[in-house]
Amino acid sequence: MTSTLEKFIHSLDPRALPRVLQIQSGIYFQGSIYEMFGNECCLSTGEVIKVIGFKINKLIASICEDNDVSRFSAKVELPLNFPGLYKVVADKTPYVSIEEITRKVSIGPTRFGHPCFYSPEDIKLANLTIKHGEQITFNSVEEVNGTMAVNCGVVRNNQSHFFILPLSQEGKFYECEDDQIYTLKEIAEWKIPKCRNRVVKLSNTLHTWDSSNPLPENFDGCLILTPVYEVQAVMKFRKDIVHILSDLDVEVKDITDCYDISSFLQPLSLEDVFERTSKEFPMAAEIMEGPSGSQKPYKLLYTGKEIIIYKKYQATRVLASEIRSDSPKRHFLIPKSYKGKFKRRPREFPTAYDLEIARSEKEQLHVVATKAFDSPHKELFSVSVGDQFLVQQCQTSEVLYEGRKKLIDVLTCEQILSDTYKKVLLPMYMEGGFVEVIHDKKQYQLSEICKEFRLPFNVKVSVRDLSVEEDVLAAMPGLQFEEEITDSYLLISSSSSPVESWEIPVYRLNMLVHLLSKDVQTVVPPVTKTTVEEINEEQYYMVRRYENQTLHPPPRPPKKPTTLAPKPGSAVLKQGVSDVLQAPKNFCVDTTKKLCSNQAADVSELQVSCQNDLVHRENKKDVTGKTTLAETSVIKDLLRVYSAEKEEEEEHNYDYVDENIMENIRKIFQDTTVRNKRALSEGRR
């Protein structure tokens, strides 16, 4: 049956690909040429093409200024990166079966791929009855006992109940209202059903508006979105992939069932190549569509280039993220063969439980408190900003609560005083803040870090990798090694000059090849060059999600008992002025180390947090009624130093500051306390 290309693509199920189409009629006749995306596509009547894929390229939006979707004032073209956040308006047309939903609605593993529907009638299952109007979340499509079905869930009394609905289940199913907001790209990828339009409403006001904006100024209506697809196709006598927009005025006919599909070149993705048996390697291939990117070796993988694919294998990479206070962060996959060297950077720990996780038998963990904490029990220690601790071990301890003894988990630490150590107990539920003090100035290879330390681990490149032209990691102010991952790679080289071979990732590189029948002369691959791969935010979360599927989740940190909240005014300062003056280390916070955490707060947020602690401390008085003025003054000075150093490091990417800075701050503190003593004695006279 003949139909327009637009209608055919709109109704095409991706699972039915590839499809062979014959051009029936249109504005392109014999010999006419349509050039698009750098490809010449000759669509003459009678031409045969094989459709291998399609994706939304842009959106045609019908503007409804008065929110009446039955009337629209104009149509405009919107790119997928058009700014703004949008709310999806629920489709009022019901679906008649579960099979229709799975065929037309995107259901996938991400949060965008969990659509919700409701039925106006009860659905009776074997062990559960779904009530009419109850929201049903569609989680995944899977095969159950040889029958395709949808894994669904409902929430009742804050508890999730899961069940299976077969694709044969019939009835009326309506979309639920969606209170989330999305970008146009997210809507295009997940929220536009096949054969249907999508109505959206602008949720936020655009930051700027000018005459080039296709939407009316102060627009507050609805948009009816119609997708325009980019069709990927193979032509009979061409070796590249052609791209055709679905809104071309061309009529086509599906002749897949009566045509020899093997007569076309067979494009293979890297995933298809990886699924081949190991015995089929090495193989020769020609690139039909190369990847984008200027990074080597991607810039060498252009359309028409012949390559040798030697083997497939799994390789280990270290997932690393840039340490910075603002976003977005850059993410990298680093091979173990990286030849640069690293120095350690301080870590930041938000709770006492994190200290327990981070401690190791290899070395003692030394930290400085950056946030005050008042203990509700006299048996446990109250932490002040600047207190320094050596972390020991986790244990249980008895505390007195409402006249009864109770066992709780605590962290044993040694508080560092001026000339001695004091054993203290910190509750595991303590929500404070700690920064690590680094004593180790050794330079490490990547393989040494993975072997000797527990990840996550903070570092900075101290010696760049001289085997590469440009070491992208050397420019980073700091890196956090998050975890080791195992990924799939193909080893390739140029067919014409196999001087060196390259590892290319299977699941992050969009490239199409077709296999050549020629024999491969070079069976042994040349010297392998491994590179640091920079990945985007989406790839980062996909890598972590797939990796974490094979790992057991870490135990949850213990929660602070709500019944153990301290009473107002019950916190008493444990040390008087004389104790504070004898323990200057309590306030010698190497504040620059705060910059080294991947969770470092914004300057203003940190100042507010610390200033709140200062107010808390300023209000504390010892038993003689004297306010700890010296302590307050020094910490305020440290805040100013912190702000200046943070701005300086953000701008210049200096190496981390070692313990000499700590000594300088100690000296400043001691000088300050001496001056304050003199001022107090002179005031008494």
Side-chain angles (χ1 to χ4, degrees):
M1 186 176 70
T2 300
S3 67
T4 64
L5 178 62
E6 183 175 31
K7 184 176 180 181
F8 177 82
I9 295 299
H10 275 241
S11 60
L12 179 59
D13 188 342
R15 294 172 292 185
L17 293 173
R19 308 302 296 176
V20 179
L21 304 181
Q22 186 178 54
I23 308 300
Q24 297 296 301
S25 64
I27 60 173
Y28 307 103
F29 300 100
Q30 283 84 350
S32 67
I33 291 185
Y34 188 83
E35 187 170 325
M36 186 182 304
F37 302 104
N39 295 304
E40 292 181 354
C41 179
C42 180
L43 294 177
S44 30
T45 300
E47 182 73 61
V48 177
I49 63 175
K50 181 172 76 169
V51 176
I52 60 173
F54 59 93
K55 62 181 180 180
I56 295 179
N57 175 270
K58 59 185 178 182
L59 296 166
I60 303 299
S62 302
I63 300 175
C64 308
E65 296 193 46
D66 57 356
N67 290 323
D68 184 1
V69 295
S70 62
R71 295 184 301 171
F72 59 89
S73 57
K75 287 187 176 183
V76 295
E77 185 178 296
L78 299 179
L80 298 185
N81 61 354
F82 187 76
L85 296 172
Y86 304 83
K87 286 196 68 173
V88 171
V89 178
D91 193 343
K92 296 180 180 178
T93 303
Y95 294 83
V96 297
S97 67
I98 300 298
E99 186 275 335
E100 184 187 8
I101 293 176
T102 60
R103 185 163 35 89
K104 295 182 177 180
V105 178
S106 296
I107 301 174
T110 72
R111 66 181 181 89
F112 303 118
H114 295 159
C116 297
F117 296 86
Y118 70 90
S119 171
E121 299 178 355
D122 291 352
I123 302 175
K124 295 183 178 181
L125 304 175
N127 55 355
L128 186 69
T129 297
I130 309 303
K131 300 176 182 177
H132 63 276
E134 193 168 19
Q135 179 172 297
I136 307 171
T137 302
F138 285 44
N139 295 315
S140 61
V141 181
E142 52 193 54
E143 186 174 338
V144 180
N145 299 326
T147 303
M148 295 304 296
V150 178
N151 182 20
C152 303
V154 295
V155 178
R156 294 175 179 173
N157 299 324
N158 296 322
Q159 289 190 339
S160 297
H161 303 270
F162 298 100
F163 56 93
I164 298 296
L165 286 179
L167 267 58
S168 58
Q169 180 78 39
E170 295 184 347
K172 289 184 178 181
F173 297 92
Y174 292 87
E175 266 191 337
C176 295
E177 293 292 340
D178 191 344
D179 58 354
Q180 301 297 313
I181 54 177
Y182 306 94
T183 64
L184 271 190
K185 187 174 185 294
E186 291 167 345
I187 291 173
E189 291 177 351
W190 293 99
K191 299 298 178 181
I192 300 183
K194 299 291 292 182
C195 301
R196 297 192 184 200
N197 297 328
R198 170 59 76 193
V199 179
V200 299
K201 185 173 176 59
L202 187 63
S203 177
N204 75 325
T205 305
L206 300 179
H207 297 297
T208 57
W209 186 93
D210 54 40
S211 57
S212 63
N213 195 319
L215 298 181
E217 188 173 5
N218 299 321
F219 176 68
D220 191 36
C222 291
L223 298 174
I224 305 175
L225 302 179
T226 303
V228 176
Y229 292 90
E230 177 188 296
V231 181
Q232 292 177 298
V234 179
M235 303 191 73
K236 194 67 181 278
F237 303 105
R238 297 184 57 155
K239 293 184 177 181
D240 57 349
I241 307 297
V242 296
H243 302 265
I244 310 166
L245 289 183
S246 63
D247 61 350
L248 296 183
D249 189 12
V250 175
E251 290 191 347
V252 297
K253 182 180 180 180
D254 189 345
I255 59 171
T256 306
D257 295 337
C258 57
Y259 199 88
D260 181 13
I261 200 168
S262 63
S263 61
F264 287 91
L265 287 178
Q266 178 62 38
L268 298 175
S269 66
L270 296 185
E271 293 96 321
D272 297 329
V273 175
F274 193 81
E275 289 175 1
R276 300 269 174 145
T277 63
S278 299
K279 294 181 180 179
E280 297 180 67
F281 294 89
M283 59 180 68
E286 182 178 347
I287 298 174
M288 299 184 69
E289 188 167 75
S292 59
S294 58
Q295 185 181 3
K296 198 175 182 181
Y298 302 156
K299 63 181 179 181
L300 305 176
L301 303 176
Y302 50 83
T303 301
K305 184 178 180 65
E306 293 187 8
I307 59 174
I308 299 173
I309 306 175
Y310 291 97
K311 60 179 180 178
K312 65 174 185 176
Y313 55 93
Q314 302 283 322
T316 302
R317 294 290 188 269
V318 174
L319 179 62
S321 294
E322 178 185 15
I323 296 175
R324 58 186 300 169
S325 57
D326 56 344
S327 59
K329 300 175 184 176
R330 297 171 70 181
H331 308 284
F332 305 93
L333 290 174
I334 309 174
K336 290 287 189 70
S337 59
Y338 176 80
K339 295 180 175 59
K341 291 187 176 181
F342 301 93
K343 280 187 176 181
R344 296 176 61 176
R345 294 290 303 267
R347 293 168 288 178
E348 192 169 284
F349 308 100
T351 68
Y353 181 76
D354 293 295
L355 296 178
E356 162 63 16
I357 294 176
R359 72 179 182 88
S360 68
E361 301 298 330
K362 179 179 173 60
E363 62 178 356
Q364 197 161 35
L365 183 60
H366 178 190
V367 296
V368 177
T370 59
K371 187 177 180 182
F373 169 77
D374 279 333
S375 172
H377 307 289
K378 64 179 182 180
E379 297 91 347
L380 305 181
F381 188 69
S382 290
V383 177
S384 299
V385 174
D387 286 350
Q388 295 190 56
F389 302 97
L390 296 176
V391 179
Q392 301 292 333
Q393 62 184 4
C394 176
Q395 65 180 53
T396 58
S397 177
E398 279 189 348
V399 296
L400 194 62
Y401 172 63
E402 293 184 350
R404 299 176 61 184
K405 291 183 178 180
K406 185 176 181 180
L407 279 177
I408 66 169
D409 292 330
V410 296
L411 187 65
T412 307
C413 299
E414 286 185 341
Q415 184 190 10
I416 303 175
L417 302 175
S418 57
D419 55 359
T420 185
Y421 298 92
K422 176 183 177 182
K423 183 179 178 180
V424 297
L425 300 179
L426 304 180
M428 292 290 280
Y429 60 74
M430 170 186 168
E431 294 180 1
F434 302 91
V435 174
E436 182 180 22
V437 179
I438 299 295
H439 301 272
D440 180 8
K441 297 183 181 180
K442 179 183 173 182
Q443 298 183 106
Y444 292 90
Q445 297 279 2
L446 178 60
S447 56
E448 292 178 310
I449 292 175
C450 295
K451 182 179 180 180
E452 296 182 21
F453 299 100
R454 182 184 298 178
L455 303 186
F457 197 75
N458 292 0
V459 297
K460 175 180 172 60
V461 175
S462 57
V463 178
R464 76 176 188 87
D465 188 346
L466 299 176
S467 67
V468 296
E469 295 178 6
E470 181 183 0
D471 186 352
V472 66
L473 300 182
M476 298 295 105
L479 290 168
Q480 182 179 70
F481 293 160
E482 298 186 13
E483 61 182 321
E484 291 186 58
I485 70 161
T486 302
D487 208 354
S488 302
Y489 290 87
L490 295 173
L491 187 64
I492 68 166
S493 74
S494 171
S495 178
S496 57
S497 55
V499 179
E500 54 189 19
S501 59
W502 300 87
E503 292 179 332
I504 58 173
V506 173
Y507 298 107
R508 289 184 302 280
L509 197 63
N510 293 321
M511 189 171 85
L512 293 174
V513 302
H514 74 90
L515 301 182
L516 303 176
S517 57
K518 61 174 66 175
D519 293 332
V520 177
Q521 302 298 326
T522 308
V523 179
V524 179
V527 177
T528 301
K529 293 283 188 178
T530 55
T531 59
V532 174
E533 180 189 356
E534 184 169 358
I535 58 177
N536 59 35
E537 199 79 6
E538 182 179 356
Q539 292 170 334
Y540 166 77
Y541 287 111
M542 292 297 285
V543 165
R544 296 217 68 178
R545 182 170 65 86
Y546 287 133
E547 186 67 18
N548 289 337
Q549 285 180 347
T550 61
L551 301 175
H552 295 292
R556 290 184 177 181
K559 294 183 178 180
K560 178 178 179 179
T562 55
T563 56
L564 301 183
K567 298 179 181 179
S570 63
V572 179
L573 185 61
K574 288 182 175 290
Q575 294 175 309
V577 175
S578 59
D579 294 325
V580 171
L581 296 178
Q582 291 171 8
K585 285 188 178 182
N586 289 0
F587 310 102
C588 302
V589 185
D590 187 353
T591 51
T592 58
K593 290 181 170 57
K594 295 176 185 176
L595 305 177
C596 306
S597 168
N598 67 321
Q599 299 174 343
D602 184 81
V603 179
S604 60
E605 292 178 354
L606 185 85
Q607 285 179 324
V608 169
S609 174
C610 291
Q611 284 168 354
N612 287 340
D613 289 332
L614 288 180
V615 171
H616 170 74
R617 294 166 67 92
E618 285 173 351
N619 291 335
K620 286 185 177 183
K621 296 187 178 180
D622 60 7
V623 292
T624 62
K626 299 175 183 178
T627 307
T628 56
L629 296 176
E631 162 191 349
T632 303
S633 174
V634 170
I635 298 179
K636 286 181 176 177
D637 288 340
L638 293 180
L639 270 176
R640 287 193 290 272
V641 172
Y642 173 83
S643 300
E645 288 175 342
K646 182 174 179 67
E647 293 172 2
E648 201 170 330
E649 178 161 331
E650 290 286 340
E651 183 177 357
H652 298 290
N653 294 337
Y654 289 142
D655 200 351
Y656 74 90
V657 183
D658 59 22
E659 290 183 38
N660 295 329
I661 296 295
M662 294 284 286
E663 295 302 323
N664 291 336
I665 296 177
R666 290 188 183 102
K667 187 175 183 301
I668 292 172
F669 176 83
Q670 289 168 345
D671 292 343
T672 304
T673 54
V674 169
R675 287 197 302 269
N676 286 338
K677 278 184 176 180
R678 289 174 181 171
L680 287 173
S681 61
E682 290 175 1
R684 291 192 185 98
R685 291 173 189 169

